[in-house]
């Protein structure tokens, strides 16, 4: 295993332990309102501090881009961290949330780790080295039609116009598939796609830490990820379509006619 992956796994497991322990007394947490419908808890902050502590102990010169503490400049390596993806779920006791840690070198994603502390499921990816779930290789599915496909998605939470666009995309897909799931953690959605539990995924307006690790997982599991212009601008725009090569193509075809200029 890549030595940096080892450290990322340790950081993710430590953060996961903080989250799992705190899940037993969610009622007592102090919640901060970042903005409407956007919560951060002490748990997000404690988990993030733990991750940064573990990583900087080994790589003091690396930079960070983290959901709670923002950007910390360093050398050409940047760790992109979501300490608790699915905070809303966590606060409601809805058991779908995870730690997400990715490493970017210059402009390339090199490593991805997503850890689900409730199921003790560890997803990892190394660029060029494949993807795993609890040390076993994972692949995207061979699903080749919308009929029978299970898709994951998230609702756009920032703009009303995007919600209208999103609903058109949703309408053009839902009838043809076996179902669409909206579980509330983009990181886990992408990990589930990489491990064959979902056949495709799309969302408007994700943030880098929601998706960085998951995107590498999908790619290393044989999947395709693009933005809404069939390019690789998803880390900037936050707009993502992901699936096996065939599923990606089918979803793109259904989604593309509804894409407004601001989403291209
Ligand atoms: P979070 O739980 O870490 O905030 C769900 O659509 C995805 O969007 C999740 O990965 C969630 O990550 C992210 N997200 C960020 N801000 C959000 C918000 N205000 N409401 C819902 N989801 C949000
Ligand atoms: Ca997130």
């Amino acid at each position: 295993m890549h030595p940096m992956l080892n450290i990322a796994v340790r950081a993710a497991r430590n953060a996961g332990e903080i989250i799992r322990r705190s899940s037993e007394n969610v009622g007592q947490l102090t919640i901060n309102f970042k903005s409407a419908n956007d919560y951060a808890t002490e748990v997000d902050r404690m988990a993030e501090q733990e991750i940064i502590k573990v990583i900087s102990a080994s790589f003091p010169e690396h930079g960070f881009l983290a959901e709670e503490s923002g950007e910390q400049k360093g050398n050409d390596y940047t760790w992109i961290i979501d300490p608790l993806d699915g905070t809303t779920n966590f606060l409601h006791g809805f058991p779908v949330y995870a730690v997400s840690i990715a490493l970017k070198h210059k402009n390339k994603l090199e490593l991805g780790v997503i850890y689900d502390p409730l199921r003790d499921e560890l997803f990892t990816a190394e660029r060029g080295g494949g993807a795993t779930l609890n040390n076993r290789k994972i692949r995207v599915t061979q699903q080749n039609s919308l009929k029978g496909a299970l898709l994951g998605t998230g609702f756009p939470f920032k703009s009303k116009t995007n919600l209208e666009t999103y609903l058109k995309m949703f309408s053009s897909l839902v009838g043809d598939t076996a179902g669409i799931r909206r579980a509330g953690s983009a990181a886990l959605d992408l990990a589930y796609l990489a491990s064959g539990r979902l056949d495709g995924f799309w969302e408007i307006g994700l943030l880098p830490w929601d998706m960085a690790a998951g995107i590498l997982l999908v790619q290393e599991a044989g999947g395709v990820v693009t933005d809404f212009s069939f390019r690789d601008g998803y880390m900037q725009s936050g707009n993502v379509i992901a699936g096996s090569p065939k599923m990606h193509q089918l979803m793109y075809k259904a989604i593309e006619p509804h894409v407004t200029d601001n989403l291209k």
Side-chain angles (χ1 to χ4, degrees), residues 67 82 84-86 209-210:
E67 175 157 28
D82 193 335
L84 174 51
D85 188 52
W209 41 79
D210 301 323

Side-chain angles (χ1 to χ4, degrees), residues 50-87:
E50 174 64 21
I51 294 166
I52 293 177
K53 191 182 87 187
V54 170
I55 294 173
S56 16
S58 295
F59 308 110
E61 65 290 356
H62 288 190
F64 292 94
L65 175 63
E67 175 157 28
E68 306 308 329
S69 56
E71 198 176 349
Q72 204 175 301
K73 286 236 184 304
N75 62 10
D76 286 344
Y77 286 95
T78 306
W79 294 88
I80 305 174
I81 299 165
D82 193 335
L84 174 51
D85 188 52
T87 304

Side-chain angles (χ1 to χ4, degrees), residues 203-223:
E203 185 158 347
I204 296 176
L206 286 172
L207 292 161
W209 41 79
D210 301 323
M211 62 180 156
I215 281 169
L216 190 64
L217 267 157
V218 171
Q219 291 169 334
E220 288 297 327

